[in-house]
Amino acid sequence: MKTPISHALRHAGLLLTLLLLGCAGPGGRQGLLETAAAVDLDRFMGQWYVIANIPYFPERGKVASSDVYALREDGRIDNTYVFRRDFDTPERRWHGISEVQPDSAGAHWKVQFIWPFKTDLLVLEVDPDYQWALLGHPRRSMAWIFAREANMDDDQYQRLLTRMVAFGYERSSILRVPQFAEQVGKPGFQ
């Protein structure tokens, strides 16, 4: 016979199991990802094309996507995600706010597109000329390869992908984002 206490203990055990499984995500095997990058925020602002990412539900299947950043007077960053659902559809925009975390050399941001939910974003590495950037999440559940130009040659992409692997990402989890209609359906693209 089930008592209220045994029922509560069973639910507590289930809850604990689910929490532990959540902690054993991609970052759990290797520890949390950290960044040692130093980011010149003024140079980082502007448009970055999403060359590749780990497809997750809000970005999965989007094409011609980019992020546009603009510093605000209050020190936060306007974050606009620009995308199309298909190359034959109109451009859409989602607006968010990012906050650079103290003592992070500009490389750790809290990003919010939907109140009250925020997520961590790490600038892992940025090109000295700010022509490409590698971004991730501390648990390695999200990753992005950004560039100032929409077109990136395969050799450069492979070099940047290898850098992401050095940060502990699985090569096969990162897929290219079609920036041009002729890229749709090609191997390695979403």
Side-chain angles (χ1 to χ4, degrees), residues 51-87:
I51 301 301
N53 64 17
I54 294 178
Y56 73 108
F57 73 94
E59 290 188 58
R60 186 177 298 122
K62 307 296 190 292
V63 299
S65 62
S66 64
D67 274 285
V68 181
Y69 301 109
L71 278 174
R72 298 164 43 129
E73 286 185 20
D74 64 5
R76 297 184 300 167
I77 299 168
D78 283 323
N79 187 164
T80 304
Y81 176 62
V82 182
F83 67 95
R84 295 177 187 274
R85 294 192 187 276
D86 191 302
F87 283 99

